Amino acid sequence: MFLFTIVLIVLILLVVSIVAGNLFFVVKQQHAVIIERLGKFNRIVGAGFHAKIPFIDRKAATVSLRTMKNGFDIDVKTEDNVTIGLEVSAQYHVSYELGNAPQESGVYKSYYMLQQPVAQMRDFITDALRSSIPVYTLDEVFAKKDDIAKDVNATVSEQMAAYGFTLVSTLITKIALPAEVENSMNQINAAQRTKAAAQDLAEADRIRRVTEAKAEAEAMEQAGEGIANQRKAIALGIKDSLEIIQETGVGNDEANLLFMFTQWTEMMNEFAKSGKSSTVVLPTDFRASASMFEQMIAAGEANEAGNVPPVPPVH
């Protein structure tokens, strides 16, 4: 009798646990549970503690309300007949709208109206991209990829809304080119950069040449001013020297000849000291003239008489 009582208690506890397990349940945050009664939709419950009729009601599905992400690889052709591969990332979630009746809610539609939502979304996105990309060239696809993604997102959002899904965003994360096209684009880019570098170098060389020419012109101008000032100083020195010589009572002609002889003597002394010059001017015939000074006097007298002797050759 005692053994029978124990077995009965165990059976009662087992039945109670089974019934309790089917009677009470907990729904996690950001989830919704669809309850069916005898195979027919009954209600949708949200996060929290709930109860159902055991063996009559059942949890048909647990639907996540969190945002999900899927990536797709899609091949499309541009206006200039270049086939490119697009990596597309889609962020979506079950619609939070409840509607006027449970059958109009996003949870109901996502479970009962669409069996493979991810595959259907891929088809919608592929169709939208293959309709929009062919109107753009390859360069335009790179430049306007964000605008293209926004247009695709707007189009697919309307289509997925009918099945209880909200498409948050659609991103084109990568544009893959055929190897030969990518090599050609790299070569074009390299050629453009080489051209720009050559133009910059040519412009820099032009600026350098102009600057050097301006600097040379300014240097020549400064040199000319220096030579003019030097000659002016020499002329003033000669004038002062002649005036001093004339004050001693020497005539103009003799003073000029004396000054010339003095200059020639100083030149010869400098030549003898340095020893670096290779050319010197000497009288043509030392036998015909007693001295250089006498030859200069004779030249001066001939000049006054209007009979200028020929210039002696330089040795």
Side-chain angles (χ1 to χ4, degrees):
M1 186 65 181
F2 177 73
L3 181 62
F4 177 76
T5 303
I6 294 176
V7 172
L8 182 61
I9 293 173
V10 171
L11 290 175
I12 292 172
L13 291 176
L14 183 61
V15 171
V16 169
S17 63
I18 293 174
V19 171
N22 284 276
L23 177 62
F24 303 107
F25 63 96
V26 176
V27 180
K28 295 180 180 180
Q29 184 67 34
Q30 285 298 99
H31 288 76
V33 172
I34 298 175
I35 303 297
E36 290 182 347
R37 178 168 294 174
L38 299 176
K40 183 179 179 181
F41 172 78
N42 180 256
R43 68 187 185 277
I44 298 172
V45 295
F49 182 78
H50 301 277
K52 62 182 178 62
I53 301 174
F55 308 110
I56 296 177
D57 293 343
R58 76 179 187 93
K59 294 191 294 184
T62 299
V63 179
S64 174
L65 301 178
R66 292 180 295 181
T67 300
M68 296 169 283
K69 182 183 79 70
N70 278 93
F72 311 107
D73 295 328
I74 301 172
D75 294 331
V76 295
K77 182 176 286 187
T78 63
E79 185 183 25
D80 43 0
N81 291 324
V82 178
T83 301
I84 58 177
L86 301 180
E87 290 186 6
V88 181
S89 177
Q91 289 77 38
Y92 63 97
H93 61 76
V94 173
S95 176
Y96 303 140
E97 295 188 9
L98 300 177
N100 297 325
Q103 289 78 2
E104 297 178 0
S105 67
V107 175
Y108 182 94
K109 292 179 180 179
S110 67
Y111 180 72
Y112 287 104
M113 296 185 65
L114 194 60
Q115 185 173 1
Q116 295 180 327
V118 175
Q120 187 62 59
M121 186 187 308
R122 175 192 173 91
D123 292 341
F124 284 147
I125 293 176
T126 301
D127 181 69
L129 284 172
R130 289 179 177 173
S131 298
S132 59
I133 292 293
V135 302
Y136 297 103
T137 63
L138 179 60
D139 292 337
E140 290 174 343
V141 171
F142 278 95
K144 300 180 179 180
K145 72 179 186 67
D146 292 337
D147 295 334
I148 295 172
K150 290 179 182 178
D151 294 340
V152 170
N153 188 79
T155 301
V156 179
S157 292
E158 293 184 11
Q159 296 170 326
M160 292 300 296
Y163 299 101
F165 286 91
T166 298
L167 191 60
V168 179
S169 65
T170 303
L171 304 175
I172 298 176
T173 58
K174 184 178 179 180
I175 301 175
L177 302 176
E180 60 275 11
V181 176
E182 186 172 358
N183 292 334
S184 299
M185 292 184 67
N186 290 335
Q187 291 176 1
I188 292 173
N189 187 34
Q192 291 176 344
R193 292 181 180 273
T194 302
K195 179 181 177 181
Q199 291 175 343
D200 292 341
L201 290 174
E203 180 64 17
D205 184 65
R206 184 190 69 81
I207 294 174
R208 180 184 61 81
R209 290 176 180 271
V210 171
T211 303
E212 289 179 353
K214 289 181 178 179
E216 185 177 357
E218 292 178 358
M220 293 179 66
E221 182 179 357
Q222 295 294 330
E225 292 179 358
I227 293 173
N229 293 333
Q230 181 185 18
R231 291 178 177 176
K232 181 178 179 181
I234 292 173
L236 292 175
I238 293 173
K239 178 176 177 296
D240 294 340
S241 299
L242 289 176
E243 289 178 352
I244 293 172
I245 293 173
Q246 290 174 355
E247 289 177 357
T248 61
V250 179
N252 291 336
D253 295 338
E254 293 177 349
N256 288 332
L257 293 175
L258 177 61
F259 182 79
M260 292 172 60
F261 181 73
T262 303
Q263 291 291 101
W264 183 83
T265 304
E266 291 177 355
M267 180 271 294
M268 294 301 294
N269 286 334
E270 292 296 328
F271 176 78
K273 290 179 181 179
S274 64
K276 296 180 181 179
S277 301
S278 58
T279 304
V280 63
V281 180
L282 296 174
T284 57
D285 189 2
F286 287 96
R287 295 174 299 175
S289 302
S291 66
M292 186 66 180
F293 183 65
E294 293 178 354
Q295 189 174 2
M296 289 182 179
I297 294 176
E301 293 176 352
N303 185 36
E304 290 179 356
N307 184 17
V308 180
V311 178
V314 178
H315 299 281

